[in-house]
Amino acid sequence: MAGESRQDAAARGAEARIAAIWAAVAAIPRGEIATYGGIAAAAGYPRAARLVGRALKLAPASRRLPWHRVVGAGGRIAFPVGSRLFREQRRRLLAEGLLVVKSRVQPRRVKDLDALLWGSHR
DNA sequence: GTTGTGACATTAT
DNA sequence: CATAATGCCACAA
């Protein structure tokens, strides 16, 4: 029987990786973020961060992936500051209650502890 | 088959 | 903070 070539196997493997990455991205909870490296590791391919970027670029819009929740190391948005995609990602993150300052997503932090302890109560 | 590039990361300088 | 060097995977020229 016709065995598959190495290239065929490689292509098949690539599809599996892409699918695993899409699944990992889809699993990011609303209001939270993950890094490219983290997604790669979660998908079972540590140190393949670049693959994540490629997978997202190839993802069809119909997939409705929360791609905006994927950021670079240290919470950095991976697009050039001011570019169309940069603004789009920042807008979506802000819409989920995340704070974005200078191309960087700020760590989740209690907004106003005083209010939580004293103010909102009555 | 080699080279350059990319929605990246990590470490060193 | 910026650069450079490596590692990683896929793809185009």
Side-chain angles (χ1 to χ4, degrees):
Chain A
M1 29 212 177
E4 62 182 1
S5 70
R6 288 191 306 110
Q7 292 183 355
D8 288 341
R12 188 169 51 73
E15 281 190 19
R17 290 183 175 96
I18 299 297
I21 289 169
W22 284 350
V25 173
I28 305 174
R30 185 183 189 289
E32 301 199 22
I33 59 177
T35 63
Y36 288 89
I39 291 297
Y45 308 97
R47 290 174 293 287
R50 295 194 97 121
L51 196 57
V52 175
R54 220 180 65 80
L56 290 180
K57 184 162 59 176
L58 295 179
S62 59
R63 195 94 196 191
R64 296 283 185 275
L65 285 179
W67 58 268
H68 56 283
R69 296 179 193 146
V70 183
V71 297
R76 282 191 327 98
I77 290 181
F79 301 108
V81 180
S83 64
R84 198 182 71 74
L85 285 173
F86 176 93
R87 291 194 307 273
E88 173 73 5
Q89 182 166 18
R90 186 181 61 176
R91 187 181 67 74
R92 293 193 182 200
L93 290 173
L94 292 175
E96 294 191 357
L98 289 168
L99 195 56
V100 181
V101 178
K102 294 291 201 280
S103 82
R104 179 160 303 192
V105 183
Q106 298 303 92
R108 272 297 222 164
R109 213 172 253 133
V110 176
K111 252 204 276 187
D112 191 347
L113 189 52
D114 282 346
L116 291 176
L117 283 174
W118 310 103
S120 58
H121 165 57
R122 178 182 36 173

